[in-house]
Amino acid sequence: MPMEDLTQLPSKLHSLTLENRERLQIRGVVDVTGFDDTLVLLRTGQGQLSIRGEGLHVERIDLESGELELHGQIRELQYDDRPTGSVWSKLFS
């Protein structure tokens, strides 16, 4: 695919880098729909992403470039392609 075509699809490009289950770098973040120290909810180019763990802290976020860095004890990453519900329904599910 020529480089020009990549600029037309930025919302679909998505990547994760997880280091020692303590540091997570994500590209392709569209929005942060909710977070606390045990759950972070994101919309990505590949669907809703739920990150569960302990002591979670958003270290850096840049929605313009679609990048987010998260620190803490990461226990679970889960994608959901269904339409997103409210933040409260995700927190208490």
Side-chain angles (χ1 to χ4, degrees):
M1 177 181 288
M3 191 62 143
E4 305 82 52
D5 294 341
L6 290 176
T7 60
Q8 296 174 5
L9 303 171
S11 65
K12 291 292 183 183
L13 299 177
H14 177 60
S15 68
L16 300 169
T17 303
L18 179 60
E19 296 177 16
N20 299 322
R21 293 179 60 180
E22 294 178 352
R23 180 175 175 227
L24 179 63
Q25 294 177 310
I26 307 171
R27 290 197 171 117
V29 175
V30 176
D31 193 17
V32 177
T33 57
F35 67 91
D36 65 21
D37 64 340
T38 62
L39 176 65
V40 177
L41 301 171
L42 308 172
R43 271 190 323 136
T44 74
Q46 297 294 313
Q48 179 81 13
L49 175 60
S50 300
I51 304 161
R52 294 184 187 271
E54 298 170 13
L56 300 179
H57 173 72
V58 176
E59 187 70 26
R60 183 178 64 84
I61 184 168
D62 183 347
L63 291 178
E64 188 172 310
S65 66
E67 297 178 357
L68 180 135
E69 185 174 326
L70 178 71
H71 292 205
Q73 293 296 313
I74 298 164
R75 304 280 186 232
E76 176 184 334
L77 301 169
Q78 181 179 2
Y79 285 94
D80 186 357
D81 296 329
R82 295 174 293 175
T84 59
S86 73
V87 171
W88 297 112
S89 68
K90 290 288 188 180
L91 286 172
F92 296 107
S93 62

